[in-house]
Amino acid sequence: MILLTRVDHRLLHGQVAFSWTQGLGADCILIANDDVLVNEIRKTTIKLAKPQGVKLVIKNIEDSIAALQSGVTDKYKLFIVVESIADAKKLADAHPEIQKINLGGIKAKEGTRSIGKAVNVLSEEEGLLKEMVDHGIEVEIRQVPTDKKVAVTEVL
């Protein structure tokens, strides 16, 4: 069962890893990212942030989609973490059971505008968010589970 898909440019890190994993009751974290598999420093950092007693799986986007579609992840209470809105949309398009997306951390870069605390989006990413909302996906902004949930539709 997919509990939540989170967009966070840092992927898995200390406080968020623990607060979200515990808050959701997740027993497995899937890091869906094309770079981490080939970047040993990022992979090591992510492994260090893994909460004890929680399974950690790191796959590229294509293999993540295949795993979700195969049903191999169905036995887990799954928390998916991706680096970008585009990656979240790819997963959601390929796997309709992704019904909730949390925007937690998207760093500012040239051309972005802030739509929430630590959430900065380009105009094309705004379009992707609107498409996901139009397809019935709940997209929210929250750093940690105890923060007030802000629907992305309120800030676009």
Side-chain angles (χ1 to χ4, degrees):
M1 167 195 340
I2 298 169
L3 302 172
L4 183 69
T5 300
R6 176 177 172 88
V7 178
D8 192 320
H9 68 272
R10 297 170 292 175
L11 294 170
L12 193 63
H13 54 95
Q15 179 198 358
V16 172
F18 290 93
S19 62
W20 277 106
T21 303
Q22 289 175 352
L24 292 168
D27 59 11
C28 183
I29 299 169
L30 169 61
I31 302 296
N33 182 272
D34 291 337
D35 178 61
V36 172
L37 278 177
V38 296
N39 185 325
E40 288 303 318
I41 293 171
R42 286 185 85 191
K43 192 187 306 183
T44 300
T45 305
I46 287 168
K47 287 179 179 178
L48 289 171
K50 178 189 89 67
Q52 195 170 359
V54 176
K55 182 176 178 65
L56 174 65
V57 179
I58 301 171
K59 292 185 174 292
N60 65 30
I61 297 296
E62 190 176 308
D63 290 346
S64 295
I65 290 168
L68 291 168
Q69 290 177 336
S70 76
V72 72
T73 61
D74 292 353
K75 63 186 172 195
Y76 297 108
K77 293 181 212 146
L78 192 61
F79 176 31
I80 303 170
V81 185
V82 297
E83 190 172 35
S84 70
I85 292 167
D87 287 348
K89 182 154 185 338
K90 282 180 202 164
L91 290 179
D93 286 349
H95 197 66
E97 277 137 60
I98 294 175
Q99 290 297 307
K100 283 197 261 183
I101 295 178
N102 164 263
L103 305 179
I106 304 169
K107 65 182 168 188
K109 54 187 176 265
E110 191 174 329
T112 60
R113 76 174 182 104
S114 174
I115 61 167
K117 184 179 172 191
V119 177
N120 303 278
V121 295
L122 296 164
S123 60
E124 54 266 28
E125 291 171 323
E126 287 186 38
L128 296 176
L129 292 170
K130 287 175 185 169
E131 284 179 42
M132 288 190 282
V133 169
D134 289 347
H135 284 95
I137 297 170
E138 177 189 344
V139 183
E140 53 143 58
I141 300 170
R142 267 194 296 177
Q143 295 296 297
V144 291
T146 53
D147 286 350
K148 181 182 179 288
K149 187 189 292 193
V150 176
V152 78
T153 52
E154 293 176 26
V155 295
L156 287 182

